[in-house]
Amino acid sequence: MEKYELIAPCHFGLEAVLKREIQDLGYEVSEVEDGKVTFLGDAGAIVRANMFLRTTERVLLKVAKIKAVTFEELFEKTKALPWEKYIPQDGKFWVAKANSVKSQLFSPSDIQSIMKKAMVERLKAVYHVDWFEEDGASFPVRVAFMKDVATIGIDTSGISLHKRGYRQMISKAPITETLAAALLMLTPWNKDRILVDPFCGSGTFPIEAAMIAANIAPGLNRNFLCEDWRHLISRKHWYEVREEAQGMINLSVDTDIQGYDLDPEMVKGARENAERAGVDKLIHFQQRDIKDLSHPKKYGFIVTNPPYGERLEDKENLPSLYETIGERYQALDSWSMYLITAYQDAERCIGRKADKNRKIYNGMIKTYFYQFLGPKPPKKKRSSADEKIDLCNRQ
């Protein structure tokens, strides 16, 4: 079966998380760059990457990497690419997005127009036609210029993969599903540990955590653009991967995941979102103020996206809010806290310097993922039955 190069874009600063995800799926990573990971796989890998990757925005089928410093050069090199390998005669094709960094060709609209013309010329010669109806499957092309080198790929996903299909109620400052999943995967949290989000908004952190705990594939309840690419990806691949994803789900998992918000409408919406995601039985949502945050158990996790003054009228309340966060965290014995915020004085107001700090761009906003690490829980004592099983296995 033919091997392709596939490109998975992600948030800047989270490439290592995505790389690990891809490797866990069994695919070879060929390149890691700022904001994207390239890997090798067959047609089945396109399906599985769209279905199972939690931290990428989309999956691109890489066509080529070319260098171009003039529009004439861009036209000729685009025209020389084997577009017929991917796009059938009735395919609908266009350059959906172009961006350019530190390159001589910097106008996105001109790049898009020139490349579309070149693709048309190539396919006219191959298919011996003068006009394309473009009434078949869609093949949106994306091109990214970096220092005069263009990476060209065809989008296999369609609607961004952060849209899992469950989130209809959205908070004022939402965090995307892909970013929430990536941040959770940066922590040592697992399904056996307590997780609380005291600013849950539309419920994204708790819902993504519950989907991870129950092993629910993020792409299970949505469709993908490349499902119509029947000349490249057989229907059998889709049936098999959906069946694989269904078989992995474990809704009987024992979890302690909680989401709080001061706004009752947000709590109601978060519950509805969780129900659409199929994890409402795994999460406890409640209307609660941050000042009332408490938990009787040890070794839990706070993972949250607190307000950081997007509106001017909110900024004056931030110092007292973050002081309260610090006070409530200090009262939680042996807990860890992970919060993403753009608020510059977060550490000072919390009253403790973070053990780790990672810069992450949430959209166009530069944020920091502050990591306050609590102690590890003691290892559980092994039962005599477990020891007997180990002894038998060694013999």
Side-chain angles (χ1 to χ4, degrees):
M1 192 171 285
E2 184 169 0
K3 283 285 182 81
Y4 302 103
E5 272 195 289
L6 305 172
I7 303 169
C10 64
H11 284 82
F12 285 94
L14 295 172
E15 297 84 2
V17 180
L18 176 55
K19 178 184 176 183
R20 187 169 68 242
E21 264 205 292
I22 292 167
Q23 290 173 329
D24 287 346
L25 279 180
Y27 301 116
E28 179 189 346
V29 170
S30 57
E31 191 173 16
V32 179
E33 301 170 86
D34 287 346
K36 64 183 177 184
V37 179
T38 304
F39 63 104
L40 307 176
D42 56 14
I46 298 173
V47 179
R48 297 187 77 241
N50 274 294
M51 181 65 68
F52 292 116
L53 291 179
R54 298 183 188 277
T55 63
T56 187
E57 297 302 308
R58 61 186 67 250
V59 178
L60 304 176
L61 174 55
K62 183 177 174 182
V63 176
K65 224 178 205 184
I66 61 172
K67 183 172 183 179
V69 295
T70 67
F71 283 118
E72 183 180 356
E73 189 177 18
L74 177 62
F75 179 90
E76 292 300 333
K77 287 189 174 179
T78 301
K79 184 181 174 183
L81 297 175
W83 292 105
E84 65 279 4
K85 180 179 173 183
Y86 312 104
I87 303 172
Q89 187 170 330
D90 66 347
K92 179 182 179 182
F93 58 97
W94 72 103
V95 182
K97 186 170 183 179
N99 58 54
S100 178
V101 178
K102 298 178 181 176
S103 299
Q104 293 185 56
L105 300 181
F106 54 83
S107 167
S109 59
D110 288 335
I111 291 169
Q112 289 169 292
S113 176
I114 293 292
M115 290 186 68
K116 168 73 177 188
K117 288 176 183 174
M119 293 168 68
V120 168
E121 290 304 308
R122 169 77 185 203
L123 293 175
K124 277 169 64 176
V126 170
Y127 292 126
H128 307 292
V129 296
D130 292 321
W131 178 259
F132 293 100
E133 292 293 338
E134 297 195 50
D135 55 0
S138 294
F139 298 84
V141 173
R142 289 181 167 240
V143 56
F145 268 91
M146 171 60 77
K147 296 180 180 177
D148 298 324
V149 176
T151 302
I152 303 167
I154 305 175
D155 180 16
T156 73
S157 305
I159 296 171
S160 174
L161 294 180
H162 81 264
K163 296 192 175 181
R164 320 283 206 216
Y166 67 74
R167 196 167 76 171
Q168 292 184 16
M169 175 69 165
I170 298 176
S171 57
K172 293 175 186 172
I175 188 168
T176 66
E177 295 86 330
T178 46
L179 179 54
L183 296 179
L184 284 164
M185 293 163 75
L186 270 178
T187 77
W189 175 81
N190 64 62
K191 64 182 183 297
D192 300 322
R193 307 280 294 275
I194 304 155
L195 186 142
V196 175
D197 180 358
F199 300 95
C200 74
S202 53
T204 310
F205 269 129
I207 292 169
E208 288 297 315
M211 289 178 70
I212 291 170
N215 221 5
I216 297 174
L220 192 55
N221 295 317
R222 55 159 289 163
N223 296 315
F224 308 96
L225 196 65
C226 62
E227 288 183 61
D228 293 329
W229 297 4
R230 310 228 172 152
H231 61 302
L232 291 179
I233 306 171
S234 73
R235 298 305 300 167
K236 183 182 176 186
H237 283 308
W238 290 104
Y239 296 139
E240 288 176 350
V241 171
R242 288 193 184 277
E243 189 175 340
E244 178 187 356
Q246 289 283 0
M248 291 166 58
I249 297 173
N250 177 19
L251 289 173
S252 62
V253 64
D254 186 21
T255 63
D256 187 348
I257 300 172
Q258 302 179 29
Y260 308 140
D261 203 280
L262 190 58
D263 185 343
E265 285 301 309
M266 279 296 155
V267 175
K268 180 175 179 286
R271 287 195 184 109
E272 292 170 355
N273 288 342
E275 189 174 352
R276 275 187 290 272
V279 294
D280 49 308
K281 302 289 193 298
L282 302 178
I283 308 169
H284 172 68
F285 287 110
Q286 183 180 347
Q287 183 187 357
R288 185 186 284 194
D289 196 308
I290 180 63
K291 66 183 175 59
D292 300 319
L293 175 62
S294 64
H295 201 289
K297 294 183 181 178
K298 293 185 174 186
Y299 306 111
F301 287 80
I302 296 171
V303 183
T304 192
N305 175 35
Y308 36 84
E310 302 84 19
R311 299 178 304 179
L312 285 174
E313 60 266 31
D314 295 333
K315 287 188 183 296
E316 61 185 36
N317 300 321
L318 290 182
S320 60
L321 175 66
Y322 279 78
E323 285 168 10
T324 304
I325 292 173
E327 290 165 5
R328 298 319 308 151
Y329 172 54
Q330 191 174 6
L332 288 165
D333 184 24
S334 68
W335 278 49
S336 298
M337 179 167 68
Y338 297 79
L339 58 88
I340 181 170
T341 180
Y343 182 45
Q344 299 281 342
D345 290 330
E347 289 174 298
R348 182 181 62 79
C349 293
I350 286 169
R352 173 180 162 182
K353 186 172 175 58
D355 297 286
K356 292 183 180 179
N357 176 5
R358 184 185 288 247
K359 186 194 299 182
I360 292 166
Y361 280 87
N362 184 7
M364 297 303 293
I365 301 172
K366 183 172 71 173
T367 64
Y368 294 91
F369 190 47
Y370 294 106
Q371 304 167 59
F372 301 89
L373 310 180
K376 292 181 181 178
K379 289 185 178 179
K380 292 180 181 178
K381 290 184 178 179
R382 291 170 59 79
S383 68
S384 57
D386 288 335
E387 290 174 357
K388 285 179 181 176
I389 290 170
D390 279 352
L391 183 61
C392 291
N393 287 338
R394 285 197 296 267
Q395 289 176 347

